[in-house]
Amino acid sequence: MAKTNSRKRDAAKGVSQIVLSASRDIPFDKLVLSQSNIRRIKAGVSIEELAQDIVHRTLLQSLTVRPVLDENGAETGMYEVPAGGRRYRALQLLVQQERLAPDAPIPCVIRTAGIAEEDSLAENVQRAPLHPLDQFRAFQTLREQRGQSEEEIAAVFFVSVNVVKQRLRLASVSPKLLEIYAEDGMTLDQLMGFTVNPDHERQEQVWEAIQRSYNKDASHIRRMLTEEAVRASDKRALYVAAEYEAAAGPVMRDLFQADDGGWLQDVALLEKLVAEKLERDAAVVRAEGWKWVEVAPDLSYGHTYGLRVLCGTQPPLATEEEANEAALRAEAEKLETDYEDTPEYPEEVGQRLQEIEEALTAIDERPPVFEAADIAVAGAFVSIGRDGELRVERGYVRREDEPPVPEVVETEPGEGEEGLSAGDRADGADAPDGVETDGRVPDSEDEHEEDGFKPLSDRLLTELTAYRTLAIRDAVANDPGIAFLTMLHALVLELFYPYALDSCLEIKASTVVFGSRAPGLDDTKLAATVDERHRTWAQQFPENPRELWGVLTGFDSDSRDALFAHCVSLTVNGIHEAFNRQPRAIAHAGLLAEVLAVNVVEAGWAPTVDNYLGRVTKARILETVREAKGDDAVDRIAHLKKGDMASTAEQLLVGTGWLPEPLRTKGVETLSTAAESEREGDAQEIPATAPAEESPEVFEGVIDETHPREIAAE
């Protein structure tokens, strides 16, 4: 009676009521797949996975069916399935596997109005994907109430383990922020950015901070949450990775994008572990007997310049080691012979050859052995290499530790112990104060002394050696080979024997020490190449500078040329410094680069956020991208904030060979053919989300000579 009265009231109000389609169980063998199903492309969960899910949970959603009519329009007792084709195929697979009876009743909704295609389209279009927060809560319930692991949850719902981990990671976000996200107060990208740091208080502080900032991107959120942490790829982190893990040091991970191992959160613990391990490693080096050992995680480039290098001798191999080396070389030769006609080595062969090469390199580069007397006056540097390995540099002698040079006494024939020391100069510079010399050194002997074999006077020696000097100058001028060798001798003394006075040339060579001018320069491959060349030469020189001339005369012409080039290279200084501007020298460095066709791209430099893009204005970033990739690429990044613009530009510039003006060499093309093609309009797509990079604000104290109009444009 109540329902009848309700219908009457609705009818009186003019409200039309709908009638739902009938539903009932239909035997599976009475169902056929309709050709009107609009889904043609496979997507999502596979048929096999869906069948397994039906076994686990039975059928959760009815099939939509329509009666099959004969040519007269009468029902035949069969039903076609226009919506639910994947469920039908999963049930069909279970019947084929004899896990479901052919006549098993299947819950179906029977449709007669409209057309079959409409049923299929409506079911697929109106289906709303599960909200990530709802998915997270469901996964969390399964883990907490049923005790299921991430792998078990992934297997049950046929998703990857990473998807489950990502959704469960949302539990690390502050409930306050989750509520804001649920109310559409932030985007999913922003929410995922907060998962990097589990500190709820810090998360909320960052959220409040970005409300007052123009930059609310997820990458900016990540930077703010990790600004006090250390990347796992940092050489300090690599050096104590095992110790940090053993100490249960917290590591922040980003499950939503590549993070290079994450961030080490406890910086104090990291620094403590680094200091302790460095001290342990340094203790081993100190036990070798060195006079001093300098220890630091990072040493500035050029820290060994100005110190005398001891070469040491390579220890001989033991009998077993020699046999092992011979066996390794024989094995490598055999493998190369066996596969010489193969386009490329099989994976296992290539891996074995790599292992042999590394073993032979370790044998060839075994640490040198030093004499006890040398160790007593020299020292070593202990630091961390660029790959996180221990770096020990042995055999460096400081000026104050140099042993005193004994005086060499030159005597006249027949004389005893009297004479001149090698340090005495015969140019009158050491004349006593107040003595008028007029360019000549006064005689030291009394004119009335008796004749005899006495030392020559300073005055006479000055005259004689002056004449000889002039004669030597004339001879050197007529012998370019000796001139070259003499110059080379002077250069080597200056650059390898810091305090030697064993050359008659009044030529001084100095080398610039980069120090803190270019942070990280010591870790580059280019610096390693230069330093290795310097060490290789140093190992060929005698410890006593007086023996150097004889060694150099024994070098062949090619060796002399190479050594001369190396020595000259160390004196090049084309560095711009705010306190020491040298425009003419820098201009000459440009001419030198032009003659040598210096290609800085081939030398390993590429624009990054750290070394360029994060330290210039937005106008310069856009101009950089325009030069390398064209106007289309500029249009796609012009709307970005500076941080994201810089990081996205770094990706775009990979492989283009673009260089800023100070690094370009006249006549040397660096922009690649691919870059030229991109600039013609065939640019690559830019990722929707720029990766997190170091904040450009870290470059404090850098002198920015950007034009005021560019600053205003930013």
Side-chain angles (χ1 to χ4, degrees):
M1 179 65 69
K3 292 182 178 179
T4 302
N5 293 335
S6 176
R7 292 193 188 98
K8 289 180 179 179
R9 287 194 300 270
D10 291 340
K13 295 178 180 179
V15 178
S16 59
Q17 294 184 334
I18 63 171
V19 178
L20 299 177
S21 300
S23 62
R24 64 184 176 89
D25 292 343
I26 300 176
F28 181 77
D29 55 10
K30 297 296 183 182
L31 302 175
V32 295
L33 190 61
S34 174
Q35 298 302 312
S36 301
N37 193 307
I38 65 169
R39 187 186 292 273
R40 297 285 189 269
I41 301 174
K42 294 181 180 180
V45 180
S46 68
I47 299 300
E48 292 77 9
E49 291 173 339
L50 182 55
Q52 188 61 34
D53 188 72
I54 292 174
V55 171
H56 181 70
R57 276 184 287 267
T58 75
L59 191 65
L60 299 179
Q61 184 178 356
S62 301
L63 302 180
T64 299
V65 301
R66 285 177 173 270
V68 177
L69 307 178
D70 59 18
E71 62 274 8
N72 298 321
E75 295 186 7
T76 61
M78 299 294 292
Y79 294 86
E80 63 176 356
V81 184
R86 296 176 67 256
R87 279 164 279 155
Y88 174 84
R89 290 190 179 91
L91 294 169
Q92 187 180 48
L93 178 61
L94 293 175
V95 171
Q96 293 171 354
Q97 295 174 346
E98 298 184 354
R99 304 174 74 180
L100 181 69
D103 59 351
I106 307 300
C108 300
V109 174
I110 303 173
R111 292 269 298 154
T112 55
I115 60 176
E117 287 80 2
E118 182 182 0
D119 298 342
S120 178
L121 180 63
E123 181 174 290
N124 287 281
V125 172
Q126 295 175 7
R127 178 184 301 162
L130 191 64
H131 194 281
L133 198 55
D134 293 330
Q135 195 175 23
F136 146 65
R137 287 167 176 160
F139 288 163
Q140 192 176 37
T141 298
L142 291 175
R143 184 172 64 177
E144 293 177 354
Q145 295 186 5
R146 295 190 179 183
Q148 292 182 334
S149 66
E150 295 165 349
E151 290 74 13
E152 290 172 335
I153 296 174
V156 170
F157 288 95
F158 307 104
V159 295
S160 68
V161 176
N162 194 46
V163 169
V164 177
K165 288 182 177 180
Q166 287 180 345
R167 293 297 180 259
L168 290 175
R169 186 60 177 271
L170 297 179
S172 65
V173 180
S174 162
K176 176 181 177 180
L177 300 185
L178 288 176
E179 190 64 28
I180 294 174
Y181 169 64
E183 297 175 358
D184 296 329
M186 73 170 67
T187 65
L188 179 59
D189 281 344
Q190 289 174 320
L191 183 68
M192 292 188 300
F194 282 107
T195 64
V196 171
N197 190 334
D199 187 341
H200 289 181
E201 182 179 356
R202 178 58 181 157
Q203 291 173 359
E204 294 172 7
Q205 290 174 352
V206 170
W207 176 251
E208 292 297 327
I210 66 173
Q211 301 311 303
R212 302 183 297 272
S213 171
Y214 69 91
N215 191 351
K216 298 179 176 62
D217 295 331
S219 59
H220 183 58
I221 293 172
R222 288 185 176 92
R223 283 196 294 270
M224 295 181 68
L225 289 171
T226 59
E227 61 187 359
E228 296 181 357
V230 175
R231 279 194 173 275
S233 57
D234 185 280
K235 64 181 182 181
R236 294 170 298 166
L238 295 173
Y239 179 59
V240 294
E243 289 80 359
Y244 190 85
E245 182 179 359
V251 178
M252 296 186 293
R253 297 301 306 268
D254 190 345
L255 295 180
F256 300 95
Q257 66 176 21
D259 61 3
D260 293 330
W263 297 264
L264 276 59
Q265 194 171 358
D266 194 337
V267 180
L269 174 62
L270 172 65
E271 292 178 346
K272 175 176 176 290
L273 293 174
V274 168
E276 291 175 350
K277 186 173 183 180
L278 271 177
E279 189 56 37
R280 290 195 300 271
D281 290 336
V284 176
V285 179
R286 288 192 182 96
E288 298 173 6
W290 299 102
K291 182 172 184 179
W292 54 266
V293 175
E294 185 173 326
V295 184
D298 192 23
L299 296 169
S300 62
Y301 181 65
H303 58 277
T304 60
Y305 283 6
L307 304 179
R308 182 163 63 90
V309 185
L310 301 178
C311 300
T313 57
Q314 200 169 52
L317 294 174
T319 304
E320 298 81 2
E321 293 173 328
E322 287 182 348
N324 180 49
E325 180 185 20
L328 289 172
R329 295 189 187 279
E331 182 183 356
E333 184 176 352
K334 184 178 185 304
L335 288 174
E336 292 172 352
T337 302
D338 292 344
Y339 293 94
E340 62 182 354
D341 297 328
T342 306
E344 61 181 31
Y345 294 125
E347 182 178 354
E348 63 277 5
V349 174
Q351 182 176 354
R352 179 53 185 162
L353 286 172
Q354 179 66 26
E355 293 172 353
I356 293 174
E357 182 180 355
E358 291 175 356
L360 291 175
T361 300
I363 293 174
D364 293 338
E365 298 180 356
R366 57 191 183 277
V369 175
F370 298 88
E371 298 292 338
D374 291 334
I375 294 177
V377 298
F381 295 96
V382 177
S383 60
I384 304 174
R386 62 177 177 272
D387 296 326
E389 76 282 1
L390 180 68
R391 181 180 181 182
V392 181
E393 301 167 277
R394 297 175 174 86
Y396 291 91
V397 182
R398 292 170 173 166
R399 180 175 185 177
E400 59 269 23
D401 297 328
E402 289 284 2
V405 179
E407 289 188 348
V408 178
V409 178
E410 298 176 355
T411 61
E412 293 295 328
E415 284 295 312
E417 299 180 354
E418 296 183 10
L420 297 174
S421 70
D424 291 339
R425 303 300 297 264
D427 54 6
D430 295 328
D433 292 342
V435 177
E436 297 292 339
T437 64
D438 295 327
R440 300 167 60 90
V441 178
D443 290 338
S444 59
E445 75 273 19
D446 191 330
E447 294 180 359
H448 300 289
E449 288 185 13
E450 296 180 359
D451 294 337
F453 291 101
K454 297 181 176 63
L456 297 179
S457 67
D458 288 340
R459 176 178 177 180
L460 181 56
L461 280 174
T462 299
E463 294 177 0
L464 295 176
T465 54
Y467 189 90
R468 187 182 70 161
T469 298
L470 188 58
I472 294 173
R473 287 183 179 182
D474 182 60
V476 168
N478 288 283
D479 193 331
I482 293 298
F484 176 89
L485 181 59
T486 309
M487 180 66 182
L488 177 60
H489 177 254
L491 287 174
V492 173
L493 285 173
E494 288 283 342
L495 298 170
F496 289 86
Y497 300 86
Y499 313 110
L501 301 172
D502 297 82
S503 173
C504 63
L505 297 190
E506 291 292 341
I507 293 176
K508 300 296 181 183
S510 62
T511 180
V512 60
V513 179
F514 295 95
S516 60
R517 291 181 177 89
L521 189 62
D522 191 39
D523 292 331
T524 62
K525 292 183 179 179
L526 184 60
T529 300
V530 174
D531 291 346
E532 178 60 28
R533 182 167 60 242
H534 193 76
R535 281 191 294 270
T536 301
W537 282 117
Q539 292 170 359
Q540 302 181 52
F541 300 145
E543 293 187 10
N544 190 335
R546 296 195 183 106
E547 301 173 5
L548 177 62
W549 178 264
V551 172
L552 293 181
T553 56
F555 281 2
D556 57 42
S557 59
D558 290 341
S559 297
R560 291 180 189 173
D561 289 345
L563 177 57
F564 183 81
H566 173 68
C567 291
V568 171
S569 73
L570 294 180
T571 69
V572 174
N573 181 6
I575 300 176
H576 167 85
E577 295 175 301
F579 58 86
N580 182 27
R581 298 181 185 274
Q582 45 176 1
R584 294 185 181 181
I586 293 176
H588 178 251
L591 295 176
L592 193 59
E594 183 180 347
V595 170
L596 295 170
V598 173
N599 189 328
V600 181
V601 173
E602 293 181 355
W605 194 92
T608 66
V609 173
D610 288 341
N611 67 17
Y612 184 77
L613 298 170
R615 304 164 69 174
V616 298
T617 63
K618 290 176 62 177
R620 281 195 181 273
I621 297 175
L622 294 175
E623 183 59 27
T624 296
V625 174
R626 178 177 288 106
E627 289 182 3
K629 306 291 284 187
D631 291 333
D632 290 344
V634 171
D635 293 340
R636 294 199 301 276
I637 69 170
H639 67 285
L640 298 176
K641 302 299 183 183
K642 180 177 177 180
D644 289 333
M645 181 186 291
S647 57
T648 306
E650 178 179 337
Q651 297 179 64
L652 285 171
L653 294 172
V654 171
T656 62
W658 182 89
L659 292 172
E661 187 65 30
L663 296 185
R664 296 177 187 176
T665 300
K666 184 178 180 181
V668 176
E669 294 294 335
T670 56
L671 280 177
S672 65
T673 303
E676 294 287 349
S677 176
E678 297 293 349
R679 287 190 288 142
E680 291 173 3
D682 190 22
Q684 298 176 353
E685 289 299 321
I686 301 175
T689 304
E693 293 288 352
E694 295 297 327
S695 173
E697 285 75 17
V698 300
F699 301 101
E700 297 179 359
V702 175
I703 298 175
D704 188 355
E705 298 182 354
T706 307
H707 196 281
R709 285 183 297 176
E710 293 175 336
I711 298 176
E714 185 181 1

